[in-house]
């Protein structure tokens, strides 16, 4: 009997956080409950978002097993995941307050035929304007959820967990 390949979930954190932050830790456990392998990339010390994109692309291209995968990105990690998805085709993309259309970031136009894409953004985000997520979501016709809270979305962590479970259920 052949074993079903494990779906990998690549977690990309934001500029000010790390690979073992609260959201990634909690969502990694949920991914593992669904039989996925959680891989949290450490971008600490890399402040340039496009160098982070190169790091994620290198990691994905050097995989020894050709498993299907999902991309998760928070803030700058959202940008990293979305740009990476243009070259590598994940099963889906889950984004929290993605840093899209931000001055100084190389990529300003995003196109993708990847679905599903789920975006969660805080109404009171003072780092990345919520309308940036709306602009992208409306251009690719993906799901966008506005929730209570600011950029870190700590106030809505339980809602994010429910949305992540629903996202995974639609894929795995």
């Amino acid at each position: 009997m052949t074993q079903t390949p494990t779906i990998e979930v690549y977690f990309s954190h934001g500029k000010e956080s790390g690979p073992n932050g609260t959201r990634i830790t909690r969502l990694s456990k949920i991914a593992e409950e669904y039989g996925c392998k959680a891989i949290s990339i450490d971008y600490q010390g890399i402040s340039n978002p496009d160098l982070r994109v190169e790091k994620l692309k290198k990691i994905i291209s050097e995989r020894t097993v050709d498993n299907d995968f999902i991309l998760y990105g928070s803030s700058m990690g959202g940008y990293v995941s979305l740009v990476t998805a243009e070259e590598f085709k994940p099963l889906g993309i889950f984004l929290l307050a993605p840093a899209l259309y931000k001055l100084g970031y190389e990529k300003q136009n995003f196109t993708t035929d990847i679905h599903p894409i789920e975006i969660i953004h805080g109404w009171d985000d003072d780092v990345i304007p919520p309308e940036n997520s709306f602009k992208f979501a409306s251009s690719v016709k993906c799901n966008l959820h506005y929730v209570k809270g600011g950029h870190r979305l700590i106030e809505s962590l339980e809602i994010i967990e429910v949305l992540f479970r629903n996202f995974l259920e639609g894929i795995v």
Side-chain angles (χ1 to χ4, degrees):
M1 180 166 90
T2 57
Q3 184 178 3
T4 305
T6 302
I7 294 172
E8 299 166 335
V9 181
Y10 289 90
F11 288 89
S12 292
H13 63 80
K15 182 178 182 179
E16 305 287 326
S17 59
N20 300 312
T22 302
R23 289 172 301 204
I24 289 177
T25 299
R26 288 176 64 168
L27 296 181
S28 290
K29 288 178 185 173
I30 292 170
E32 290 167 355
E33 287 172 21
Y34 281 84
C36 298
K37 180 179 180 182
I39 302 166
S40 186
I41 311 300
D42 187 355
Y43 299 102
Q44 295 176 107
I46 305 172
S47 60
N48 182 305
D50 297 297
L51 292 178
R52 289 182 180 206
V53 169
E54 292 309 313
K55 179 172 183 167
L56 180 57
K57 285 181 177 183
K58 185 173 191 272
I59 288 168
I60 291 173
S61 67
E62 291 177 346
R63 296 180 305 153
T64 56
V65 179
D66 192 23
N67 289 345
D68 287 326
F69 65 96
I70 293 167
L71 295 175
Y72 160 98
S74 177
S75 192
M76 185 187 284
Y79 171 88
V80 170
S81 294
L82 199 54
V83 173
T84 299
E86 291 181 354
E87 182 176 332
F88 298 93
K89 302 300 182 194
L91 295 173
I93 307 169
F94 194 84
L95 304 172
L96 301 180
L100 306 179
Y101 313 109
K102 194 159 170 47
L103 291 176
Y105 286 30
E106 183 177 315
K107 188 99 170 136
Q108 293 295 316
N109 295 307
F110 305 92
T111 58
T112 185
D113 59 355
I114 305 296
H115 287 285
I117 298 174
E118 295 283 332
I119 302 174
I120 298 123
H121 211 116
W123 281 111
D124 300 319
D125 191 330
D126 61 352
V127 176
I128 306 297
E131 48 273 12
N132 291 15
S133 284
F134 179 80
K135 179 179 177 180
F136 173 74
S138 63
S139 74
V140 299
K141 308 295 185 248
C142 71
N143 292 332
L144 170 61
H145 310 272
Y146 284 116
V147 296
K148 180 181 179 180
H151 189 65
R152 297 195 44 175
L153 297 167
I154 295 302
E155 305 90 332
S156 296
L157 192 51
E158 283 145 13
I159 293 168
I160 292 167
E161 289 174 334
V162 168
L163 291 169
F164 189 61
R165 284 180 189 282
N166 290 343
F167 171 77
L168 290 175
E169 284 175 14
I171 295 175
V172 300

